[in-house]
Amino acid sequence: MSFVPISESRVGSGKQAVRAAVTDHLTDPEVSRVVVAPTGADGADAFLSLVIATLMLAERLDVEVAYTPPAATRATRIYRLPHGSAAQTLAEHGSARDVPLIRDDAASVLVGVARHLGADDEKLHGETYVDSEHLFTGEVRGVQIEPLPHAPGLRARVIRPIWPGRWHLGRAAQTGGTNIVVEREGTLTPRVLKRSTFYRHHVDMKLVCP
């Protein structure tokens, strides 16, 4: 088994730079595992999602992914992964297993948390379904979406000011409306959409887990 590091300190966090670095490593047929090493907890999940998205677009999800953030992140909590030195040990000696890969219709991968929000700090106006289950119709603060480490693949709930909505589990969460903006791993995309869907990719990712 051949490991290659994808280090944010060397590659940077820009989309094109990350994709170029991962693609370059994939030219070596001996590479079977990438070790994703962000520099800090802030932006770490976004860095991981870029690496996995590159593997997905290259149709190389046979390559295993190990994650070594220096501190806990939303993704480490979801997938029950260690951080720091324990994560490095796992990356070197652990085994990978198939885990649902959650992506959206913009070919971005979700490993932590996403939100469907209303543009310009307004309420989200529209409706959301998880598979065939209805979450809301009308106006809400937003919808929170997270991947699951197991089937069916994701969960979503309505964001409320005091008591959060009940989680709904499924393979896909789709929001349609008049003023949707998407926040992925803490970064807001300014483009206003009429529809956004997060869903389970037809191929799982191979994640190194305890």
Side-chain angles (χ1 to χ4, degrees), residues 3 9 33 36 47-49 59 81 129 142:
F3 300 174
S9 63
R33 177 177 294 183
V36 183
F47 186 68
L48 173 63
S49 70
E59 298 184 349
L81 300 174
Y129 283 85

Side-chain angles (χ1 to χ4, degrees), residues 90-102:
L90 179 66
E92 295 173 359
H93 304 290
S95 299
R97 62 180 176 87
D98 289 349
V99 172
L101 189 160
I102 302 305

Side-chain angles (χ1 to χ4, degrees), residues 27-203:
T27 60
D28 182 353
E30 298 300 317
V31 170
S32 56
R33 177 177 294 183
V34 295
V35 179
V36 183
T39 56
D42 290 341
D45 289 347
F47 186 68
L48 173 63
S49 70
L50 273 176
V51 173
I52 297 172
T54 303
L55 295 177
M56 177 184 72
L57 292 170
E59 298 184 349
R60 288 300 312 274
L61 290 172
D62 58 299
V63 175
E64 299 173 357
V65 177
Y67 189 32
T68 60
T73 70
R74 189 65 184 166
T76 62
R77 296 183 184 99
I78 289 171
Y79 298 108
R80 297 180 176 86
L81 300 174
H83 58 273
S85 59
Q88 188 61 47
T89 300
L90 179 66
E92 295 173 359
H93 304 290
S95 299
R97 62 180 176 87
D98 289 349
V99 172
L101 189 160
I102 302 305
R103 56 169 294 180
D104 68 4
D105 35 20
S108 295
V109 167
L110 180 65
V111 296
V113 61
R115 297 192 297 169
H116 287 154
L117 302 170
D120 301 321
D121 294 323
E122 296 181 357
K123 287 186 176 181
L124 173 63
H125 180 77
E127 63 180 6
T128 296
Y129 283 85
V130 175
D131 294 345
S132 59
E133 192 171 4
H134 179 251
L135 263 67
F136 87 96
T137 296
E139 289 188 343
V140 295
R141 293 184 65 182
V143 174
Q144 181 178 341
I145 303 159
E146 296 183 356
L148 294 170
H150 50 71
L154 60 73
R155 63 182 186 174
R157 66 182 177 185
V158 173
I159 299 169
R160 296 196 175 108
I162 300 176
W163 300 108
R166 179 175 66 87
W167 286 113
H168 297 253
L169 279 60
R171 293 181 61 90
Q174 181 178 82
T175 298
T178 61
N179 65 336
I180 306 165
V181 290
V182 182
E183 182 188 88
R184 304 178 187 88
E185 319 294 8
T187 299
L188 188 67
T189 302
R191 183 184 176 191
V192 180
L193 305 173
K194 300 295 185 183
R195 187 175 303 277
S196 177
T197 306
F198 284 88
Y199 61 96
R200 184 175 178 177
H201 191 57
H202 66 282
V203 179

